[in-house]
Structures are given as C-alpha cells and as structure tokens.
Amino acid sequence: MSWQKAEENGCIQRSPISGYTLELVISKSSNRIFTIPNVLSFLRLLGVPFFLVLVLIGRDLLAVILLAVSSSTDLLDGQIARRFNQQSKLGEVLDPAADRLYILVIAVALAVRGIVPWSYLIILLGRDLMMLLLVPALRARGAISLPVHFVGKIATFCLLIALPLVLLGAGSWVISPAAKILGWAFAWWGAFMYWWAGLVYVKQTFSFVKETEAS
C-alpha cells in the first residue's frame, strides 16, 4: 500500500509498517490555542522550573508531590481533549514536550546531585537527539509528527515513575530502600523502552520517506 497524498483540508496517511498501521497526522487538529488541555499543558510547563529548584535545594518530598500533581493533569488533559473535541496542533506539541522536559529536568537534577550517574543522563539525551534528527525529514514531507507508539507511552510512564522513586530512594525515609530498588528497576527498563520506541520511530520515518519518494 502506498502513502496517500495529503488533501488541502488535512488527512491521515496510513502505511502498514512492522505489522500495524502507521498514521501520520498532517493537519487533522484545529489551530485553537486557548483550550482547557492546552492550559493544563502550559501549567505543567510552568511547574518545571519550580520542580528543578525543589530538587536542587533538597526539598525532595515537595518535588515528588509537584510531579504527582503534574502527572495527574497529564492524564486529565488527554481525556478532556478527546471527550470534548478540543484537540489542537499546539496540544500535539505541548503534551509530549512537557513529558520529555520533565524527564530531562529530573535526570539532569539527579545527575547534578550525584544520585544518578551522568552516563544514564547521556543515554536519555542520546535518544532524544536521535529523534530530533528525524524532524526535518518529516516536516519536509508535510507530516507534523509521528504518532505516539505504545512502547513510547510505556517508556514515558516508566521514567516518570522511576526517577521520582530514585529521588525518594536517596533520602532517609522508611520507604527509601524499597523506593531505590523499585526506582532503578523502572529506570533501566524505562531507558530500554525509551530507546526501543526511538528505533521504532526511526524505522517508521525511513519507511515514510521511502514510500513518499516512490509515490
């Protein structure tokens, strides 16, 4: 099956890749900015510097609470967008950007404090750099972004659970020993899934480029 050309009013392109249907949204969502999901995403982004400061000054419990509140808004904005038809192009960028920013900020802060090795941070940054290199090829062919793969969702979930647990594991609370073990288990599994998802996106991008050039 070859890729369909995007219509002027927007469409979804489909291609059978790796045993499932890949969808690239060309311009399906609206150009609205002030929607409830977007406001929630903006609030999540505004919380990033506060979270960073809390971690760096050692207010770990408050940092974890802030992250928990942020994660709850992450779940909420997606449900609101789907239920009330408030999907937007801005939201498609803001939501995953907030997730990646939180992961990056947590990893950097923990590396600065010596809680996680810098090598772990490099593993995460390497994957994000690889994804960044795919953007020009997609944009040049009219695609806004790749759809979020379920492996990527699992990876994000694992990392957003893992790093706060690792942070708690560095403390002296009763739950710290268990949090440290569980946190590192999620951290390495999340990093593995993070790269796995990245390689899936690379394969999708190459297949997309190949088929669009052939059509």
Side-chain angles (χ1 to χ4, degrees), residues 3 17 22 24 134 136-141 202-215:
W3 290 85
I17 297 176
L22 167 65
L24 279 91
L134 301 179
L138 292 171
R139 295 296 173 85
R141 290 160 179 82
V202 169
K203 184 176 181 180
Q204 289 179 348
T205 301
F206 274 97
S207 297
F208 175 51
V209 170
K210 182 179 179 180
E211 293 195 22
T212 51
E213 289 180 349
S215 61

Side-chain angles (χ1 to χ4, degrees), residues 29-34 87-90:
S29 301
S30 72
N31 291 315
R32 289 178 296 178
I33 295 177
F34 296 105
Q87 296 96 333
S88 67
K89 293 179 181 178
L90 180 61

Side-chain angles (χ1 to χ4, degrees), residues 5 27 50 65 79 94 107 124 133 146 162 194 198:
K5 290 187 176 180
S27 58
F50 293 100
I65 292 174
Q79 293 178 356
L94 279 180
L124 299 183
L133 295 176
L146 290 166
Y194 204 51

Side-chain angles (χ1 to χ4, degrees), residues 112-185:
V112 169
R113 285 183 52 183
I115 297 175
V116 303
W118 286 97
S119 57
Y120 185 81
L121 175 61
I122 292 173
I123 290 173
L124 299 183
L125 288 176
R127 187 270 194 184
D128 286 337
L129 177 60
M130 179 180 69
M131 293 298 299
L132 189 62
L133 295 176
L134 301 179
V135 173
L138 292 171
R139 295 296 173 85
R141 290 160 179 82
I144 296 174
S145 63
L146 290 166
V148 179
H149 193 272
F150 76 93
V151 176
K153 292 181 180 180
I154 294 173
T156 299
F157 172 79
C158 287
L159 292 173
L160 287 176
I161 290 292
L163 296 175
L165 285 175
V166 171
L167 177 60
L168 289 176
S172 56
W173 297 288
V174 175
I175 63 171
S176 292
K180 184 176 182 179
I181 295 172
L182 189 60
W184 276 111

